[in-house]
Amino acid sequence: MRAMQVTQYDQPLRLNDIPVPDPGPGEVQVKVHSCGLNFGDLLLIKGTYQEKPSLPFTLGMELCGTVTALGEGVTSLSVGQRIAAYTGVHGLADYAVMAADICVAIPDAMTDIDAAAFLIAYGTSHVALDYKAHLRPGERLLVLGASGGVGLTAVELGKLMGAEVIAVARGADKLEVAQAAGADHLINSDSDDIRTQVKALGGADVVYDPIGGDQFMAALRACNPEARILPLGFASGTVPQIPANILLVKNLTVIGYYWGGYTRVNPAVLTDSFKQLIAWYVDGKIKPHVSNVLPLEQANEALELLRTRKATGKVVVTIDG
Ligand SMILES: NC(=O)c1ccc[n+]([C@@H]2O[C@H](COP(=O)([O-])OP(=O)(O)OC[C@H]3O[C@@H](n4cnc5c(N)ncnc54)[C@H](OP(=O)(O)O)[C@@H]3O)[C@@H](O)[C@H]2O)c1
């Protein structure tokens, strides 16, 4: 089968021919239809992600596919069932094998493209805003990187949860995407002073930050007393160093957060979240924004769209047409 693999760190993926994997006990084999790309894939290619699979490995953190074979003891799924899964790796290939209990049954109404763009982006933002930050209706939510994969869903979900949403993104086109997702206020990170603008809007009660660096510091200084801050990613390349005196003076709470960690720490948090998110999708309350869809052979070009910050929302790679 075809697989787009990392064979050497910091090099383009190679299209390799590898054996179709068989499912072991408790696992299923899935014919992959589509794979959603993530910033984390760029880090996996560089060997700097928090998880470090041994080389060579097939890239692709999340996928949509159809179950083609069941391993021993699997009763929760059936052959022919369409699923989505957060697998961490393996998504950019014709077939993948995974534990049956990480598969999420998806409704007929959900397209293969939407399903591949769904779990990480919406899952990350929903658990962050609901389970971790306890976002309440009427609170002011500041979203950095608001046109990116996770950022855009934070705008959409924040609005759905009743917050007033301030979106920060780079340039008018990206801000337009954030506005279409429901943002009430728009700040251009290229030209506006984030701290001043957020303070002028009344300050932030919750900060959703996938960027880090200077934008984190500006957001921290624009927080209202008792604000909750989620430094959940460092797309800028700079991990914030947080001055405890500012936390003390304003009674701020910084929340450590790694969504993927919940697969080990407390999987029920993810299961409950997916249930809610799929219900919202079926009700037409949320809809993934996918800026680019490319075939497997062009996975390197698809990754380049993320690397060069040309994508908005999600980039999806289709495996079987
Ligand atoms: N903690 C968790 O559980 C969790 C889960 C998922 C993702 N994440 C993290 O969240 C971050 C975003 O992931 P994603 O998949 O949403 O990525 P993405 O779709 O590529 O979006 C990243 C956004 O970051 C901004 N950005 C990119 N490079 C930048 C730079 N050098 N300086 C400043 N801004 C930059 C871009 O917005 P502008 O061009 O508008 O600036 C882009 O829209 C990553 O760090 C990822 O690892 C964390």
Side-chain angles (χ1 to χ4, degrees), residues 37-40 43 49 120 124 145-151 168-170 174 189 210-211 215 232-237 257-260 306 309 311 313-314:
L37 298 187
N38 290 274
F39 194 89
L43 303 178
Y49 194 58
I120 294 181
T124 297
S147 71
V150 296
V168 179
R170 196 172 51 104
K174 288 189 170 190
S189 58
I211 306 297
Q215 291 195 27
L232 62 106
F234 318 114
S236 67
Y257 177 50
Y258 172 34
W259 178 79
L306 284 190
R309 298 160 74 174
K314 296 289 289 185

Side-chain angles (χ1 to χ4, degrees), residues 10-24:
D10 245 343
Q11 294 298 316
L13 303 183
R14 282 186 44 183
L15 185 58
N16 287 337
D17 188 14
I18 62 169
V20 174
D22 289 323

